[in-house]
Amino acid sequence: MNKIKLTLAATGLNNTDNPGPGIPVIRSIKESGDFDVRVIGLAYETLEPGIYMHDLVDKVYQVPYPSEGSDSLIKRLEFINSVENINVLIPNFDAELYTFIKSSAMLEKMGIHTFLPTLEQLEQRHKVNLPEFGKQYQIDVPQSKPILNHSEILSLHDDFDYPLMVKGKFYDAYIAYNEEQVKMHFNKISAKWGLPIIIQEFVKGTEVNVIALGDGKGNTVGAVPMRKQYITDKGKAWGGITLADENMLALTHRIIKATKWRGGMELELIKTTKNELYVIEINPRIPAWVYLAVGAGQNLPAALVKLALGYPVKPFEKYDIGKMFVRYSWDMIVGLNEFESLSTKGEL
Amino acid sequence: MKLKKNIAISESGFVFDPNSGESYSLNPIGAEIIELLKLEKKSDEIQTTMLKKYDTDAASFERYYYDFIHILEQYGLVEKDTSQG
């Protein structure tokens, strides 16, 4: 098969100890062998490591934060597209998805294809709405409640037993054993991610995850379950292993079928000692550990690009069980001129 | 007692449970017993094999054998086989 000529734009180049999925997504697409690809990195900050990985990213443009509104983002993308002629764009941050989904029709007009969930799907699975989601689709979810101020913390013991989880609307989750700890985490998370803060029942068990891709018609294109083997103090997987858990796969297929999920997804689950599965979060994008799925035989980012371009994609039927990933850190030496170029011209 | 389906055992006695993602290392005797369980040998057959091969008595073997089986149960690596009690 001839390689598909592709100009791919991706965000999430922050390959830090709290990694964005951009670099593993790019690596997966490049290694698939299906594309003759030029990669355009879209960066928010000047020290995102992926900016300087020239073997993976051909050109980098700085883009405005989603908080500046979709108009300034679209304007910047229009300029970038006039130079680069982007075919597919993969946003990799939760916080930017709303803006990109809202702008997807406009992007399409510019010739930039995306493969994202709908706004309704995005909202439905939001941490704040997870209890409703569980009820609607008969899925076990921990009891949770959004709170907006300190006074609500005092009455939490009416609905929750300690310990409980304190979570940000996009990122961050901490366990709290008493009211004081809830207050402390409330302040820390709200300063970073805003309100509401989500209080969630603590479910005891092993944290397991599934990466999946839905075709938007109810079909699961691929799904790989994983258990984190090494977790950083930020709760991120630094090592993991693929599992053979039929229940996890069945749950994933059920959620994708019921929601007609479109795009990448990560299910965060707790498996109790009785083998019950609780959905604690549904992330509406490809997770940073995606390269494990690729290593296990399912190149989901490459499949996502094909779906975005309208190519038919055959669902993956298997993956290697017991395949592991171990993450590592690597120091790159960067010339000041490169840093200067991105800082002053917004391009590298 | 039956070893759960899918449990992978290497020649060196490394056990991988694909359902939980856990892995364990066994000493050579443990590995031998697991291999016999994998072949669906019953407890008395395993005992006969081991007593023939090693210089030990039935009481000592039973004590360590059931300790070992209890650990396998705790880790969820075996399931009760109703056919053998």
Side-chain angles (χ1 to χ4, degrees):
Chain A
M1 195 179 94
N2 285 340
K3 288 188 178 185
I4 302 165
K5 204 158 165 52
L6 170 73
T7 302
L8 171 79
T11 65
L13 307 183
N14 55 327
N15 237 38
T16 62
D17 61 340
N18 186 3
I23 290 300
V25 162
I26 292 167
R27 185 182 174 198
S28 307
I29 292 166
K30 287 196 105 159
E31 286 184 11
S32 72
D34 297 337
F35 307 98
D36 176 10
V37 58
R38 173 171 163 81
V39 177
I40 310 301
L42 305 176
Y44 292 103
E45 301 204 15
T46 48
L47 281 177
E48 292 179 22
I51 294 167
Y52 306 100
M53 295 180 182
H54 305 306
D55 53 334
L56 289 171
V57 182
D58 298 293
K59 172 87 184 178
V60 178
Y61 292 89
Q62 207 164 7
V63 287
Y65 279 105
S67 53
E68 288 181 34
S70 52
D71 288 351
S72 47
L73 179 74
I74 287 291
K75 223 169 152 189
R76 181 69 174 145
L77 284 174
E78 263 170 353
F79 167 74
I80 298 168
N81 196 44
S82 70
V83 183
E84 302 292 348
N85 211 0
I86 298 166
N87 306 121
V88 175
L89 189 153
I90 305 182
N92 287 300
F93 285 118
D94 293 1
E96 66 187 7
L97 278 180
Y98 180 82
T99 312
F100 276 108
I101 293 171
K102 255 191 106 181
S103 313
S104 56
M106 209 174 294
L107 293 172
E108 197 72 39
K109 269 190 202 159
M110 288 157 59
I112 303 175
H113 304 282
T114 55
F115 200 73
L116 298 168
T118 63
L119 269 185
E120 193 196 351
Q121 288 169 340
L122 184 78
E123 284 306 312
Q124 221 180 16
R125 58 83 244 170
H126 197 285
K127 274 178 245 189
V128 178
N129 304 324
L130 201 59
E132 273 305 307
F133 185 89
K135 222 183 278 171
Q136 190 176 345
Y137 299 113
Q138 283 108 47
I139 289 160
D140 287 332
V141 299
Q143 182 197 352
S144 64
K145 179 182 179 181
I147 61 169
L148 293 162
N149 55 57
H150 270 207
S151 64
E152 292 180 82
I153 296 173
L154 298 172
S155 58
L156 283 178
H157 62 261
D158 293 342
D159 302 317
F160 295 90
D161 289 325
Y162 282 95
L164 47 78
M165 297 302 295
V166 186
K167 295 186 162 190
K169 62 177 172 178
F170 293 124
Y171 302 103
D172 283 347
Y174 299 97
I175 187 165
Y177 290 88
N178 53 46
E179 282 172 13
E180 279 314 307
Q181 288 182 354
V182 178
K183 282 181 195 165
M184 190 176 77
H185 299 317
F186 180 101
N187 292 341
K188 197 172 165 183
I189 300 171
S190 59
K192 207 167 162 191
W193 300 111
L195 293 168
I197 297 297
I198 293 104
I199 303 297
Q200 198 175 72
E201 175 192 357
F202 176 77
V203 182
K204 208 174 161 202
T206 310
E207 190 186 328
V208 285
N209 305 67
V210 185
I211 179 175
L213 175 64
D215 71 353
K217 295 171 190 158
N219 304 308
T220 303
V221 176
V224 177
M226 178 277 276
R227 203 198 80 186
K228 294 176 184 175
Q229 289 178 298
Y230 189 122
I231 301 175
T232 67
D233 55 359
K234 288 199 165 79
K236 304 296 160 191
W238 206 257
I241 188 161
T242 56
L243 302 175
D245 191 312
E246 290 299 328
N247 295 336
M248 285 169 73
L249 288 174
L251 178 66
T252 308
H253 284 269
R254 191 147 71 84
I255 290 174
I256 288 182
K257 192 173 179 189
T259 57
K260 292 195 167 52
W261 188 264
R262 188 171 188 268
M265 165 196 273
E266 181 193 26
L267 285 180
E268 292 188 14
L269 310 166
I270 297 286
K271 191 171 168 180
T272 68
T273 47
K274 290 178 191 161
N275 276 331
E276 299 152 326
L277 290 171
Y278 281 83
V279 176
I280 54 170
E281 266 178 47
I282 300 175
N283 295 318
R285 48 153 179 85
I286 292 172
W289 57 272
V290 56
Y291 197 70
L292 174 66
V294 179
Q298 295 197 3
N299 196 327
L300 300 178
L304 185 144
V305 168
K306 286 182 195 161
L307 287 169
L309 291 171
Y311 286 89
V313 174
K314 237 174 105 182
F316 292 98
E317 279 166 3
K318 55 179 186 171
Y319 60 90
D320 295 338
I321 295 154
K323 195 67 100 180
M324 292 168 58
F325 82 94
V326 182
R327 201 166 272 166
Y328 69 105
S329 60
W330 178 264
D331 299 343
M332 291 183 291
I333 301 301
V334 176
L336 186 62
N337 58 329
E338 296 191 25
F339 182 73
E340 181 197 332
S341 174
L342 194 72
S343 305
T344 55
K345 297 184 211 151
E347 288 181 29
L348 177 64
Chain B
M1 201 58 61
K2 232 169 117 182
L3 203 63
K4 266 193 187 165
K5 263 201 318 195
N6 291 344
I7 303 281
I9 311 148
S10 77
E11 277 177 20
S12 63
F14 186 78
V15 177
F16 172 61
D17 178 355
N19 301 306
S20 67
E22 293 285 0
S23 52
Y24 312 90
S25 288
L26 294 172
N27 66 19
I29 302 287
E32 223 176 312
I33 292 175
I34 285 260
E35 280 299 337
L36 292 168
L37 285 171
K38 208 178 165 187
L39 296 170
E40 300 195 7
K41 299 283 180 200
K42 293 179 179 172
S43 300
D44 51 351
E45 289 176 294
I46 294 174
Q47 179 167 340
T48 311
T49 308
M50 299 304 271
L51 289 183
K52 253 190 219 164
K53 199 168 171 190
Y54 297 103
D55 181 20
T56 185
D57 59 89
S60 303
F61 174 78
E62 262 179 37
R63 182 153 56 92
Y64 290 115
Y65 175 76
Y66 285 108
D67 265 359
F68 180 61
I69 293 295
H70 184 63
I71 292 170
L72 296 182
E73 275 176 346
Q74 257 183 346
Y75 290 145
L77 297 171
V78 287
E79 53 200 15
K80 286 243 161 37
D81 180 3
T82 46
S83 69
Q84 66 176 45

